[in-house]
Amino acid sequence: MASVALRDLYLRMVRIRLVEEKIAELYPEQQMRCPVHLSVGQEAVAVGACAALEPEDYAVSTHRSHAHYLAKGGNLKAMLAELYGRVTGCCGGKGGSMHLIDRSVGFLGAVPIVGSTIPIGVGVAFGTILRKEHHVTIVFLGDGATEEGVFHEAVNFAVLKRLPVVFVCENNFFSVYSALDVRQPPLRDIHVLARGYGLDSHLGDGNDVEVVYAMTNVAVEKARAGGGPTFLEFKTYRWREHCGPHYDNHVGYRSEQEFEEWKARCPITSLKQRLLQRGQATQQDLNGIEAGLAEEVEAAVAFAKASPFPEPELLQDHLYAP
C-alpha cells in the first residue's frame, strides 16, 4: 500500500476519533437531544472497508453509524447539525444520530433497529443488478445482528442471486450488555456460521486498517466482477458505553482489564507507529494533520449550533415516499 494511501487512512481514522470525542465532550450540554452510539476504538473497520469502495458504490449502516457515514464521505457539517436537530442536518434535523444519510456519496442510510439494514442493503444490491450497474454495496452490521432471522434470509437471497454485496460484521463482542458467551454456544464463530450459506466468509483483525482494507478490496473486486457476495467478520472493540458518551466498565458486563487490553491495541496509535517506523510520515506531519482536523471539527460544531431548528410546518414532510 502506498505511503500516501496509508497517511490518508490515518487521517480518516483520526478525523472520526476527533468527531466522536467532541460529541462525547458536548453531549452533556443537553443540546443534542438524540441518543448517540459512539464507535471510538472501532475506526479501522469503517475506514478500511470504505476505502475499498468507489464513490458511486453504496453503503448502509446501523445505529452506530457515525464512522461509516464519515468514512464513505458523508458531510460532517450536515451530520453534526443532524445531531443538534437543526434544519441544515442531513435529515433536516428530524432523524438524529441513528438516521444519517448522504446520497451524494452513496451512503444510503442508517437504521437503528438491529439487523434491519441488512435486507435494505441486499435490496440495493439487487437493484443494481436489475439496472445493469456495476456498483458494489457494503452492509455494515454488528455481531448481534447475525442472531436476527432477517440476517439469514437476506444472506441466503444474496447468495441465491449472486448479488454484488459485502457483509462487513463488526464483532465488538457485545449486544448492548450481553457478551457473546451468554448468547451463543462455545466455539461458534460468526464467519463460520455465515459460510454455511455457501458464500466466501473470512475473519480478520478489525483493529488493523491495512488488513481490513486488503480483505475488503478482494471482496469488492470479486463482487464487481460478478463473483457474488462475501461475508467479512472483523473483531474489534468499542471503548465507550453502548449508548451515550460515557465509559461503563463499572456496570459489570466487562472487566477493566479486558478494556485496557483492547485499548492498548488502539487502531490509530498502531498505524501511527507504523507510519513513523516505516519513514512514511514524520511526527510534525502527523501533528499538522491532527491540528487541521481539530479546526474542521470546531467549525462544523459552530455551523451546527448556529443553524436554525426546523419550522413546525415541516413536521409532516417526508412521512411518505412519493
Side-chain angles (χ1 to χ4, degrees):
M1 191 178 296
S3 60
V4 174
L6 270 183
R7 286 180 72 257
D8 187 53
L9 295 178
Y10 177 79
L11 183 153
R12 296 185 197 188
M13 287 201 293
V14 172
R15 184 170 184 254
I16 292 169
R17 176 72 61 86
L18 292 178
V19 170
E20 291 215 303
E21 294 289 4
K22 178 57 70 174
I23 292 171
E25 174 190 330
L26 297 175
Y27 197 78
E29 294 180 350
Q30 295 288 307
Q31 294 187 38
M32 298 179 212
R33 304 300 295 174
C34 60
V36 292
H37 300 75
L38 304 178
S39 57
V40 175
Q42 300 185 194
E43 297 89 350
V45 179
V47 169
C50 287
L53 295 176
E54 298 293 337
E56 61 270 20
D57 290 329
Y58 301 120
V60 294
S61 178
T62 70
H63 53 280
R64 203 176 306 282
S65 61
H66 301 165
H68 306 145
Y69 171 93
L70 292 172
K72 190 63 177 71
N75 185 290
L76 174 59
K77 288 184 176 179
M79 172 185 150
L80 288 178
E82 188 59 40
L83 269 62
Y84 275 96
R86 307 306 169 105
V87 72
T88 53
C90 58
C91 278
K94 297 188 290 185
S97 166
M98 295 186 285
H99 292 94
L100 301 181
I101 183 170
D102 192 337
R103 288 187 292 183
S104 70
V105 294
F107 190 82
L108 299 186
V111 182
I113 304 302
V114 173
S116 60
T117 323
I118 302 171
I120 294 174
V122 169
V124 169
F126 192 35
T128 62
I129 293 293
L130 296 177
R131 293 191 298 271
K132 301 185 186 305
E133 299 172 349
H134 296 284
H135 305 328
V136 176
T137 300
I138 277 186
V139 177
F140 287 103
L141 63 147
D143 49 286
T146 64
E147 296 160 10
E148 299 280 346
V150 70
F151 165 75
H152 302 274
E153 296 176 38
V155 170
N156 182 69
F157 186 80
V159 173
L160 179 68
K161 299 295 184 182
R162 292 178 66 82
L163 299 182
V165 59
V166 181
F167 300 97
V168 175
C169 176
E170 290 173 297
N171 181 1
N172 65 13
F173 305 103
F174 300 106
S175 178
V176 187
Y177 302 122
S178 298
L180 269 173
D181 60 2
V182 301
R183 293 155 35 211
Q184 294 286 332
L187 305 178
R188 176 182 286 174
D189 292 321
I190 293 174
H191 66 286
V192 175
L193 185 71
R195 190 177 296 156
Y197 288 98
L199 75 171
D200 289 338
S201 183
H202 307 283
L203 173 66
D205 182 354
N207 276 24
D208 188 329
V209 69
E210 291 183 271
V211 169
V212 175
Y213 170 77
M215 292 177 64
T216 310
N217 196 46
V218 171
V220 167
E221 291 307 309
K222 188 196 78 172
R224 206 183 305 282
T230 300
F231 183 91
L232 301 175
E233 177 189 359
F234 293 113
K235 292 187 177 180
T236 183
Y237 204 79
R238 65 170 161 81
W239 292 8
R240 293 182 180 264
E241 60 187 330
H242 164 69
C243 179
H246 305 297
Y247 293 95
D248 64 354
N249 300 339
H250 63 286
V251 174
Y253 72 100
R254 61 183 179 182
S255 68
E256 188 71 22
Q257 179 183 350
E258 177 184 289
F259 170 78
E260 291 296 338
E261 288 173 355
W262 275 96
K263 194 173 180 182
R265 298 175 53 193
C266 173
I268 294 176
T269 301
S270 62
L271 180 59
K272 182 176 185 177
Q273 291 171 344
R274 269 179 277 167
L275 282 167
L276 295 173
Q277 291 168 355
R278 295 174 186 175
Q280 295 173 341
T282 64
Q283 185 64 56
Q284 183 178 12
D285 182 24
L286 300 182
N287 289 344
I289 288 175
E290 294 166 14
L293 292 173
E295 291 180 4
E296 181 197 11
V297 174
E298 293 294 340
V301 170
F303 168 82
K305 288 187 171 183
S307 295
F309 289 106
E311 295 295 335
E313 55 265 28
L314 297 178
L315 284 174
Q316 298 297 317
D317 288 354
H318 309 118
L319 292 180
Y320 302 100

